[in-house]
Amino acid sequence: MPRPVEALVHPAALAHNLGRARAAAPDARVWAVVKADAYGHRIELAYAGLRGADGFALLDLAEAERVRALGWRGPILLLEGVFEPRDLELCSRLQLWHMVHSAEQIDWLAAHKTQQPHRVFLKINTGMNRLGFTPGSCRSAWARLAALPQVDEISFATHFSDADGERGIAHQLEAFEAATRDLPGERSVANSAAILRHGARGDWVRAGILCYGSAPDYPAHDIRHWDLRPAMTLRSRLIAVQSLQAGDSVGYGSRYRAAGAQRIGIVACGYADGYPRHAGTGTPVLVDGVRTTTVGRVSMDMIAVDLTPVPHAASGSEVTLWGRGPQGSVLAIDEVAHAAGTVGYELMCAVAPRVPLRAEG
Ligand SMILES: *Cc1c(COP(=O)(O)O)cnc(C)c1O
C-alpha cells in the first residue's frame, strides 16, 4: 500500500469559484490565472474546472504550451511578457498575448519577424514598483508600439499592491486612469482581492487565488464570506496512536508536553510533503472530519495531532490537512496558512512532488 498522503483537485469547486468572479465582475471577461502550474493544482487537472474562463493568464511559456495542448484555442496572456527575443516566435506560433513592461521588450518586438501581428498589454507601474512603465513614460511606449507592424491591438494593465488591505486601490487606479486617459484599448487591473473587495473594473479581470478557494484577504474575510470552495484537499491517515501521561513530550525538541493523560495520533504527512514546518502546536486539522489541532513540531514525514475531541479515532482514521473532509466538513487552507505565518497561496503552490495529485469531484 502506498503511503496514504494524497492531494485531490476539485474541478467542480474551481468552476464554482470562477462563477464567483463572474458574478462579482459581470461586465468583464475573466482570465483564470494558472501560473505556478495552476497554483499547485496542475494545469491538466484544473483545466476541466476552469475552461469556462475567457482566457488563461500565466508566466511560463512551457505552461502556455500545455494549455494549448489541452485544446484551448482562446486567449492566453503571458503576465510577465517574454524573457528573451526568441520567445516571440512561440508567441507568434501559439498566438499568445503578452505583457510589455519594458523598453527592451519593445526593441525585441520591433526586430521580430512575423506574419501574425501580436496582441499586447502595456503594463503601467502605478505604485507596485515591480514591472511596468511609469505613468509619465506610458504614452511614448504606447506610441512606439502603435507604430510597429508586429503589433495589432494594444491594451493596458496594472497591478495593485494593496487590494487586500487597508490602503486599497484608489490611488493606483487614479494614476492608471490619468496615464491612459484618451488612449484607445482594453483595460485589465483587478486581481482576486480587487474583484471581491472593490468591485469589477476594466474589460478583463485576473482571477487567481479566488479560483482555488482561498480568501485573498483572510483573516479579514474567509471563504464562507466570499462563498468560495476549496479546490484542493491535502489528506492522509493516522498511522499510529500514542497514549501520553502527564509530562510526556511529543516530537523533536519536546515542544509539546501533555498536561494529563491524552491520546495523540501520528499522521503520515510532514514538511517534505509540503505541510508548513512553521505550523506550531494548535494548528487546525480534521480527524475523521472532527476539528482538532496539531501538537509539537512538524517533522519531515509526520505530524502529531490531539485526539481528545475524537475519542473513536484509531490508526487508519482519515486526516484532512486542508480542504474537504468527510461528512461535508471543510478546513480552509487559509486557517492552516495563518497558523504557520503564511498565506494560502504559498501552501497550495508548495505541495511536494512526492504527493500524488488527482482530480476528484
Ligand atoms: C498572480 C497575478 C494575478 C492573480 O492574483 P491573485 O491575487 O491570485 O488573484 C493577477 N495579476 C498578475 C499580474 C499576477 O501576477
Side-chain angles (χ1 to χ4, degrees):
M1 182 177 157
R3 199 162 161 264
V5 65
E6 63 177 351
L8 307 176
V9 170
H10 309 304
L14 290 163
H16 168 87
N17 296 338
L18 185 67
R20 302 304 304 148
R22 282 218 185 280
D27 300 325
R29 274 159 289 159
V30 181
W31 295 109
V33 180
V34 294
K35 63 189 179 189
D37 209 359
Y39 290 45
H41 294 64
R42 196 175 301 152
I43 285 170
E44 288 75 9
L45 298 180
Y47 184 69
L50 296 177
R51 60 191 301 171
D54 299 298
F56 288 93
L58 42 71
L59 315 174
D60 186 289
L61 284 96
E63 290 185 344
E65 288 189 284
R66 285 164 58 195
V67 175
R68 283 283 181 250
L70 288 164
W72 178 255
R73 302 168 69 109
I76 297 178
L77 175 63
L78 298 177
L79 289 167
E80 293 179 348
V82 295
F83 301 98
E84 56 175 333
R86 65 172 187 175
D87 293 346
L88 291 167
E89 292 162 22
L90 196 74
C91 291
S92 294
R93 185 151 52 79
L94 297 183
Q95 294 192 30
L96 308 180
W97 302 4
H98 47 106
M99 209 70 92
V100 172
H101 66 75
S102 70
E104 201 177 26
Q105 288 176 327
I106 302 180
D107 298 339
W108 296 343
L109 255 174
H112 176 56
K113 291 187 177 46
T114 181
Q115 312 295 324
Q116 187 92 48
H118 291 196
R119 167 123 184 213
V120 297
F121 277 67
L122 186 59
K123 177 88 174 248
I124 322 283
N125 171 13
T126 55
M128 179 72 128
N129 287 311
R130 297 190 311 191
L131 300 181
F133 292 89
T134 60
S137 63
C138 121
R139 256 156 219 278
S140 61
W142 180 85
R144 265 195 84 194
L145 285 170
L148 294 182
Q150 291 89 342
V151 172
D152 66 352
E153 210 175 325
I154 307 171
S155 308
F156 297 94
T158 194
H159 195 51
F160 297 130
S161 55
D162 292 80
D164 57 333
E166 295 215 331
R167 191 166 182 213
I169 65 170
H171 61 294
Q172 285 187 264
L173 204 54
E174 207 172 290
F176 180 76
E177 279 165 3
T180 59
R181 189 164 296 136
D182 309 329
L183 292 176
E186 293 189 331
R187 268 73 169 156
S188 176
V189 295
N191 59 357
S192 294
I195 295 166
L196 294 174
R197 288 171 66 97
H198 302 284
R201 283 192 172 83
D203 301 291
W204 290 86
V205 295
R206 306 189 299 269
I209 195 71
L210 78 79
C211 292
Y212 304 99
S214 165
D217 59 348
Y218 187 86
H221 297 106
D222 61 13
I223 54 171
R224 279 186 45 198
H225 176 87
W226 296 123
D227 185 21
L228 300 173
R229 299 181 188 160
M232 178 195 283
T233 294
L234 180 66
R235 72 181 184 190
S236 188
R237 295 189 179 277
L238 295 185
I239 54 170
V241 171
Q242 306 295 340
S243 297
L244 306 181
Q245 303 303 318
D248 286 350
S249 64
V250 179
Y252 288 117
S254 301
R255 283 301 181 91
Y256 179 79
R257 270 178 203 284
Q262 180 182 8
R263 285 174 83 238
I264 60 160
I266 306 301
V267 187
C269 179
Y271 63 77
D273 300 299
Y275 193 85
R277 186 177 174 277
H278 293 291
T281 295
T283 302
V285 60
L286 309 179
V287 176
D288 285 337
V290 177
R291 204 180 163 93
T292 180
T293 60
T294 65
V295 296
R297 267 199 190 144
V298 174
S299 349
M300 184 182 277
D301 313 305
M302 285 177 266
I303 304 164
V305 297
D306 179 23
L307 295 183
T308 311
V310 227
H312 60 271
S315 194
S317 287
E318 183 172 332
V319 178
T320 309
L321 287 320
W322 61 70
R324 279 192 210 161
Q327 285 99 45
S329 57
V330 170
L331 176 59
I333 195 169
D334 299 323
E335 288 190 66
V336 180
H338 193 66
T342 184
V343 287
Y345 295 80
E346 186 179 17
L347 297 193
M348 57 180 73
C349 291
V351 173
R354 80 175 187 181
V355 177
L357 190 63
R358 63 185 170 87
E360 188 182 277

